[in-house]
Amino acid sequence: MFTVRQCHELDMSGKHTLIDKSPREATAAREIALRYGNQPDALLEILHDLQHELGCIPEAALPALAKALNRSRAEIHGVVTFYHDFRHEAAGRHVIRLCRAEACQSMKANELIAMVERFLQVRLGQTTADGAITIQEVFCLGNCALAPAVMVDDRVVGRVDAARMEKIIAECRS
Amino acid sequence: MTRVFVPRDSAARSVGADEVAAALAAAGFNIVRNGSRGLLFLEPLIEVETAQGRVAYGPVTAGDIPGLLPALKTGGAHRLCLGNIEEHPYLKNQERLTFARCGITDPVSVADYVKHGGFAGLRKALAMPGAAIVAEVTESGLRGRGGAGFPTGLKWKTVHDAAADQKYICCNADEGDSGTFADRMVMEGDPFMLVEGMTIAAIAVGATRGYVYIRSEYPDAIATMREAIDAATAARWLGTDIQGTDKSFRLEVRRGAAAYICGEETAMLESLEGKRGTVRPKPPIPALEGLFGKPTVINNVLSFSAVPFILAEGGAAYKNYGMGRSRGTLPFQLAGNIRQGGLVEKAFGVTLRQLVEDFGGGTFTGRPVRAIQVGGPLGAYLPAGQMDLAMDYETFAAAGAMVGHGGIVVFDDSVDMARQARFAMEFCALESCGKCTPCRIGSTRGVEVIDRIIAGESREANLELLSDLCQTMTDGSLCAMGGLTPMPVMSAVRHFPEDFDKPSRLAAE
């Protein structure tokens, strides 16, 4: 068995071991970066894929990513924190994104959001106690003629009223 | 079995098109998932192919299907029947050049695209010298459809004339403006048109690589574009030796990650390079030093999408539409509190009233129209009294407003315009890239000042401060984000002053 320190030294020296003792996050980061030929310009694609695989962008993945792309850790950190899509902690089992942009506002999106917050007893950006649902704000889903719109995971739902919202929440919890 | 068309457009899917398609498939129909016709208020709108043309029904829910089956077999009468869709006034009164095919074809079938006139422009371009293609686009009078309205031909000429070992074509598909969805509809409903337009641009300027930067909020558009690029490559309309010529163009989709600012062209370039989406100062202009420092054509989805028509029919044919210096057509998007929301492609010169009242049918709630925001979150709020303005870049600029990307968001009389002004500043604060001070700090201070005005604290002095702050943001910001946020704010103050004076009015009552 190697100690943590020995593992680290091995890693730093670039020597290969038969058993990959690095954290799962680092392994995933390396594999995904390799899929994109370790091209630094593909960073957003890599981060999307990494988040898809791990549920978030954990700190532990950043050093491996920086090394693979030959960028500094600060640069990678800067990119991760700049974009609203990337999260540090895993979301609930389902993410409901509620549009707060003007077209949806004209159809009472703010009232809808307030209602959802009261119903789920969480604020935008938080996850329900049962871990089922994270609610987030989003600015435009391109469904502005059928406002108000929300996105449930990757699916857009239009003309959302209280009844449709209750159904969405029930489906997320089932 | 009869062919039935059920849109795969995400707006149609958002109100149940998938469930309708599943119910129809179970009933034995041959389903084609087409793009949307843009009559979004009638989605899910399904069409049956008959000898008399395509007969439409809508809005259809999965629950309607059993009752609809007899009618669907023959295109017969039913309470949801809309008749031959081509004869529908909402569609018939449009001038569809860019959206001529959307909703008719299977979006990812190359054969279907070619059968409906697709790749005719590219076929011509392949036999033309680059300069001649640029001249044709210049002749058309096409201006950037992303919002800025810069002459496309001039931009292409700059890239064409630049000497470099590598040039790029980048499509800005980060359609973040609220009230807009035309880019999304192209990518989901007629993606080969965008592929064709970008390939023509590549041949014109001598570029061999290109990117479509699509916002992550559009997963359907991302998937459909990728599918279309693969299909076009397999059919040799993309990739190496396009259609047996010596021309090559490699096209890739890149996802954004929810940052409104990446719709600004230089922030998009940074993002495409894998960096934070911060704005670059200009000059140098991207046409000379763009992606990876190389000459780059950056255009919006609708600009590229106008090009196949221009090449196929000639620049003069496109120029025949429009008014003044705004030539051609613009796909307007009717959104928000509107009864008949959807996509209306008309020549420039159509009035706001024709769009909102004749096509749109007024508000969804049936209450009077009070305010209309044109051109996205950075566009002005116009009062109902200004609805006779003609949609034209110069006319709108003279009225202190902008056409932008053609998004039209309608509000009824329940809107509080001080709240909308506050939101404009709040949005800027949330989405500012942080590079320049007027935008980064000004937007936060703007929220605070408007809060004080709403609370009735030193109203006059704070309104003056707000006006000052807006002037600083307009003059001192690096890009349109900070530079144009004052437009919705000050237009709200100008046109709806009563909403910024509620406490004193309440006290007077």
Side-chain angles (χ1 to χ4, degrees), chain A residues 100, chain B residues 417-428 443 446-448 450-451 454 489 500:
Chain A
R100 268 190 75 206
Chain B
M417 293 308 296
R419 289 270 149 213
Q420 296 308 123
R422 184 191 190 277
F423 175 78
M425 284 291 189
E426 184 196 350
F427 184 67
C428 183
S443 52
V447 172
E448 294 164 1
I450 296 174
D451 275 343
I454 290 174
V489 175
F500 293 80

Side-chain angles (χ1 to χ4, degrees), chain A residues 36 40-45 48-49 71 75 77-79 81-86 97 100-108 137-147 151 154-159 164, chain B residues 11 14 40 176-179 181 184 215-219 226 254-259 262 271-277 292 334-337 341 364 373 377 381 409-411 414 420 423 426-427 430-431:
Chain A
Y36 289 90
D41 57 275
L43 180 55
L44 267 69
E45 291 292 323
H48 274 301
D49 287 3
R71 288 256 177 109
E75 281 173 298
H77 175 82
V79 171
T81 51
F82 183 86
Y83 295 95
H84 299 309
D85 270 352
F86 304 126
R97 278 180 280 188
R100 268 190 75 206
E102 289 89 341
C104 285
Q105 286 177 28
S106 77
M107 291 295 283
K108 309 287 174 209
E137 66 182 1
V138 66
F139 294 99
C140 199
L141 297 165
N143 199 24
C144 321
L146 299 171
M151 191 178 232
D154 263 357
R155 185 171 59 94
V156 181
V157 186
R159 289 266 185 263
R164 203 166 260 186
Chain B
S14 84
L40 299 177
D177 287 358
S178 175
F181 44 80
R184 181 185 62 66
R215 58 201 304 260
S216 62
E217 292 89 340
Y218 284 1
R226 284 184 170 155
R254 282 286 173 84
R255 284 173 282 182
C262 291
S271 192
L272 275 171
E273 292 181 8
K275 300 173 185 161
R276 291 163 70 88
F292 306 116
L334 304 183
N337 194 334
F364 182 81
Q373 188 177 31
Y381 284 102
V409 178
V410 178
F411 292 80
S414 67
Q420 296 308 123
F423 175 78
E426 184 196 350
F427 184 67
L430 273 168
E431 298 296 329

Side-chain angles (χ1 to χ4, degrees), chain B residues 156-198:
Chain B
W156 288 22
K157 186 174 187 311
T158 310
V159 180
H160 173 271
D161 293 347
D165 55 346
Q166 177 73 58
K167 297 177 186 178
Y168 294 99
I169 307 293
C170 291
C171 176
N172 186 341
D174 193 41
E175 184 179 52
D177 287 358
S178 175
T180 64
F181 44 80
D183 295 355
R184 181 185 62 66
M185 283 186 60
V186 166
M187 292 188 284
E188 292 177 5
D190 199 9
F192 293 123
M193 178 170 57
L194 177 55
V195 169
E196 184 180 355
M198 290 184 73

Side-chain angles (χ1 to χ4, degrees), chain B residues 288-306:
Chain B
L288 295 174
E289 289 180 39
L291 189 65
F292 306 116
K294 302 293 183 185
T296 304
V297 169
I298 306 172
N299 279 132
N300 171 257
V301 174
L302 296 181
S303 310
F304 282 125
S305 297

Side-chain angles (χ1 to χ4, degrees), chain B residues 271-409:
Chain B
S271 192
L272 275 171
E273 292 181 8
K275 300 173 185 161
R276 291 163 70 88
T278 51
V279 173
R280 293 180 188 171
K282 285 189 268 193
I285 56 169
L288 295 174
E289 289 180 39
L291 189 65
F292 306 116
K294 302 293 183 185
T296 304
V297 169
I298 306 172
N299 279 132
N300 171 257
V301 174
L302 296 181
S303 310
F304 282 125
S305 297
V307 169
F309 175 90
I310 290 166
L311 263 286
E313 307 293 326
Y318 192 76
K319 199 181 181 175
N320 274 339
Y321 294 87
M323 72 174 271
R325 285 170 50 214
S326 306
R327 309 312 311 175
T329 61
L330 184 63
F332 296 99
Q333 299 124 83
L334 304 183
N337 194 334
I338 192 152
R339 201 156 69 84
Q340 301 184 145
L343 184 124
V344 178
E345 183 174 351
K346 286 292 280 182
F348 285 97
V350 63
T351 65
L352 197 48
R353 187 179 305 283
Q354 285 173 294
L355 291 170
V356 171
E357 291 184 351
D358 300 349
F359 284 96
T363 62
F364 182 81
T365 47
R367 299 170 69 99
V369 172
R370 179 147 187 258
I372 304 169
Q373 188 177 31
V374 183
L378 305 176
Y381 284 102
L382 295 167
Q386 283 197 9
M387 272 209 273
D388 292 312
L389 276 181
M391 303 297 299
D392 155 66
Y393 292 118
E394 278 68 38
T395 306
F396 263 61
M402 68 169 188
V403 172
H405 187 51
I408 294 170
V409 178

Side-chain angles (χ1 to χ4, degrees), chain B residues 429-484:
Chain B
L430 273 168
E431 298 296 329
S432 171
C433 80
K435 185 140 176 170
C436 73
T437 316
C439 175
R440 185 185 67 245
I441 309 277
S443 52
T444 299
R445 292 290 98 88
V447 172
E448 294 164 1
V449 173
I450 296 174
D451 275 343
R452 286 200 287 273
I453 295 168
I454 290 174
E457 284 173 41
S458 321
R459 179 178 173 273
E460 293 306 317
N462 277 316
L463 274 173
E464 203 182 318
L465 184 61
L466 180 64
S467 164
D468 244 31
L469 176 67
C470 283
Q471 197 60 52
T472 305
M473 287 175 73
T474 305
D475 296 341
S477 297
L478 205 48
C479 80
M481 176 96 226
L484 288 177

Side-chain angles (χ1 to χ4, degrees), chain B residues 10 36 90 124 139 195-196 224 362 396 407 434 467-468:
Chain B
S10 56
S36 170
Y90 199 91
K124 266 195 186 169
E139 165 66 18
V195 169
E196 184 180 355
T224 309
F396 263 61
S467 164
D468 244 31

